[in-house]
Amino acid sequence: MKYSGIGGQAVIEGIMMKNKADYATAVRKPDGQIEIQKDRYVSMTDKVKLCSMPFIRGVFSFVDSMVLGMRTLSFSASFFEDDEDSEPGRLEQWLEKVFGEKLEKALMAFVMVFSVAMAIAIFMVLPLLIANVFRRFIGSASVMAVLEGGIRIAIFVAYIKLISRMEDIRRTFMYHGAEHKCINCIEHGMTLTVDHVRQSSKQHKRCGTSFLIIVMIISILFFMVIRVENVWLRILSRIILIPVIAGVSYEFLRLAGRSDSALVNLLSMPGMWMQNLTTKEPDDGMIEVAIAAVNAVFDWKAYLLENFPKAEGLKEAVEQSRQEGSL
């Protein structure tokens, strides 16, 4: 494996791929055509030097991913909205009156804040409260930390299994698999064709699912050490320490994405296993969408020439590109 620097995200009937500040969102429209939107997003870690420091950059990278995720989701959803000619309701009219042209940004900000608040409540506070029921029977703080972490992971797994029963989510997980398979195809030295992508793994160490599992595991280690008796202070500690835990988790994920050592691969296995829940095997049409998103922001032929010059079919792909004037 050779680190390429590209990453992505599944959206509604499509995929976003990002390479440095450039990103492209490819969506399979209802008529079967692939629509591609290309744009730039300069992250906080590139704008402000302080935000790029180790253990700090993880928090800002997470915020950047949420902002960019909302943008690309909004773009993909625009192709599948209901009839816009219908009369807007009173609430919608009032919101348009109050926020005007900034309504969409205001709604995105509200959704982001609400989503974060719900995630903290469900995955950080709720496990603590459930584990607290057993505190009278368990005297060891370390055992309590492990129990709380186990409950947190169980809730996460149950949540993923529940939403994966929805058809739209299941298809999104298939696009998620196509995203991973494309990146794996390139980083393992294969030309970007449907057949080669199909052969590639749908698991990737830099996945957001792995990040969440790392957060949950590292939180167990943190709360083994940080011991607070008062339940309200324990709740407060879970909330306050989220940026710290996220920062440490990001550093490991960053290392994992650039290393192929046996130890790193071993430590990455829980996240890779969990990806079996959040990624599904895509069909060829989904792979085509993923390839279109990659082609819009990443010169994979130049990458292969530099890192895998003997890749099968590379010479033919380069020659074709030269004839077409794209290389």
Side-chain angles (χ1 to χ4, degrees):
M1 182 191 78
K2 182 70 174 179
Y3 177 71
S4 65
I6 58 173
Q9 173 187 315
V11 295
I12 300 172
E13 291 299 322
I15 289 171
M16 180 274 290
M17 287 289 187
K18 188 173 186 293
N19 177 32
K20 298 179 181 177
D22 295 321
Y23 73 92
T25 308
V27 178
R28 179 77 72 179
K29 299 190 297 183
D31 64 4
Q33 298 298 311
I34 299 176
E35 181 79 14
I36 301 174
Q37 181 192 62
K38 185 177 178 181
D39 207 340
R40 287 177 61 83
Y41 179 84
V42 182
S43 66
M44 285 295 295
T45 55
D46 292 327
K47 290 179 181 178
V48 183
K49 188 174 182 180
L50 176 64
C51 297
S52 65
M53 294 180 63
F55 302 104
I56 295 177
R57 58 192 172 193
V59 178
F60 292 98
S61 294
F62 176 72
V63 173
D64 285 333
S65 67
M66 287 196 66
V67 173
L68 188 56
M70 289 299 297
R71 283 188 187 181
T72 53
L73 278 171
S74 178
F75 170 71
S76 64
S78 66
F79 296 103
F80 305 94
E81 291 175 348
D82 295 331
D83 186 8
E84 296 182 354
D85 294 332
S86 58
E87 186 70 22
R90 291 184 179 180
L91 177 60
E92 190 174 348
Q93 291 177 7
W94 179 80
L95 289 172
E96 289 180 350
K97 182 178 179 181
V98 173
F99 294 100
E101 295 180 354
K102 296 182 179 180
L103 176 59
E104 185 176 350
K105 291 184 177 180
L107 289 175
M108 287 175 60
F110 171 78
V111 170
M112 285 176 57
V113 172
F114 179 78
S115 299
V116 171
M118 288 301 296
I120 292 173
I122 295 172
F123 298 113
M124 297 302 290
V125 178
L126 181 59
L128 170 64
L129 296 177
I130 295 175
N132 196 58
V133 175
F134 300 92
R135 183 167 289 274
R136 67 184 69 179
F137 310 110
I138 301 174
S140 171
S142 297
V143 173
M144 285 298 300
V146 173
L147 176 61
E148 180 187 337
I151 293 171
R152 183 172 293 115
I153 294 173
I155 291 175
F156 177 72
V157 171
Y159 169 77
I160 295 297
K161 281 187 169 292
L162 181 64
I163 65 172
S164 65
R165 299 173 68 90
M166 302 167 59
E167 177 62 21
D168 289 344
I169 299 298
R170 187 182 67 82
R171 288 188 62 80
T172 301
F173 286 172
M174 292 172 72
Y175 276 106
H176 190 193
E179 173 222 327
H180 283 189
K181 289 170 83 73
C182 265
I183 297 174
N184 275 320
C185 176
I186 295 168
E187 293 186 339
H188 286 82
M190 293 191 291
T191 53
L192 198 60
T193 66
V194 172
D195 288 340
H196 285 165
V197 172
R198 170 68 62 195
Q199 298 169 25
S200 302
S201 172
K202 63 182 180 66
Q203 298 171 323
H204 198 285
K205 288 187 290 185
R206 295 201 310 271
C207 176
T209 303
S210 292
F211 173 75
L212 293 175
I213 292 301
I214 294 167
V215 165
M216 294 180 190
I217 294 174
I218 290 180
S219 69
I220 295 175
L221 303 178
F222 266 79
F223 299 139
M224 278 183 174
V225 178
I226 300 171
R227 304 178 181 182
V228 183
E229 291 302 320
N230 184 281
V231 64
W232 295 108
L233 290 178
R234 286 202 299 273
I235 292 174
L236 184 62
S237 70
R238 271 44 176 182
I239 297 173
I240 291 175
L241 286 172
I242 287 174
V244 180
I245 296 170
V248 174
S249 302
Y250 176 81
E251 294 305 317
F252 174 78
L253 191 72
R254 194 171 186 272
L255 171 65
R258 292 164 167 77
S259 173
D260 208 22
S261 71
L263 178 59
V264 169
N265 289 340
L266 178 64
L267 294 174
S268 300
M269 287 182 68
M272 301 286 276
W273 288 334
M274 196 61 65
Q275 288 177 42
N276 289 323
L277 297 178
T278 61
T279 61
K280 304 296 180 185
E281 284 294 335
D283 59 35
D284 287 352
M286 294 174 177
I287 292 175
E288 290 170 358
V289 173
I291 291 175
V294 172
N295 283 332
V297 294
F298 186 71
D299 187 350
W300 57 267
K301 299 182 186 72
Y303 166 85
L304 290 180
L305 281 172
E306 179 180 352
N307 298 284
F308 302 95
K310 296 182 180 180
E312 180 184 351
L314 179 58
K315 289 183 179 179
E316 292 82 356
V318 170
E319 182 60 32
Q320 182 179 355
S321 295
R322 283 174 177 162
Q323 291 176 359
E324 295 172 351
S326 59
L327 191 68

